[in-house]
Amino acid sequence: MISLTLPYPPSVNATHRAVKGRVILSKRYRDWILEAGKAVAAQLPAQAPLQHYRLWIEATAPDRRRRDLGNLEKPTSDLLKRAGVIEDDHMARGIFVVWSKTPPAKPGSLKLRIYNAPAHR
């Protein structure tokens, strides 16, 4: 099992922007990728990426605004691929996302647990 703590990501709705007819990663998302990538590097020694895996995400929101848990999974999975923790997010065998029982606290965070999983579904 791999355990990681990451900064709270932007919503999937805020990850891309249209600029001059092109769709690009938003500045906020690029900044988060850099910050979260550093957090992964600091917590995890270099290793071969997991192929088939199960992901458990516990989110602590930064504030009490209404938020959609579903918007947290995609940026997180994409980051894990970029950071070399997983081979590809299509190889997930299960993803479980929950709110933490702790009250919201700035700046928010994610606690991840990533488990190796069998290749079969």
Side-chain angles (χ1 to χ4, degrees):
M1 178 189 69
I2 297 169
S3 292
L4 297 169
T5 301
L6 300 179
Y8 196 85
S11 166
V12 76
N13 299 326
T15 58
H16 293 80
R17 293 289 173 248
V19 176
K20 297 182 183 178
R22 292 183 24 216
V23 177
I24 63 168
L25 299 180
S26 69
K27 177 168 180 359
R28 184 171 161 209
Y29 186 42
R30 290 190 313 267
D31 290 346
W32 178 80
I33 289 169
L34 288 173
E35 181 183 0
K38 288 177 187 176
V40 170
Q43 296 173 67
L44 188 65
Q47 63 181 40
L50 293 176
Q51 290 186 344
H52 303 284
Y53 66 96
R54 289 190 178 94
L55 174 61
W56 184 87
I57 302 170
E58 180 182 334
T60 300
D63 54 43
R64 294 196 180 277
R65 286 187 295 159
R66 289 175 47 173
R67 296 174 184 275
D68 184 351
L69 273 176
N71 284 333
L72 300 176
E73 182 275 322
K74 186 61 178 164
T76 304
S77 291
D78 288 349
L79 175 83
L80 293 174
K81 182 179 185 315
R82 282 178 185 262
V85 177
I86 60 172
E87 190 171 305
D88 195 73
D89 53 354
H90 84 275
M91 298 175 102
R93 294 296 176 246
I95 298 172
F96 188 65
V97 186
V98 298
W99 288 116
S100 172
K101 291 181 180 178
T102 62
K106 287 196 182 281
S109 65
L110 301 181
K111 291 184 181 176
L112 310 181
R113 282 189 265 167
I114 308 152
Y115 301 90
N116 206 4
H120 62 284
R121 294 176 189 226

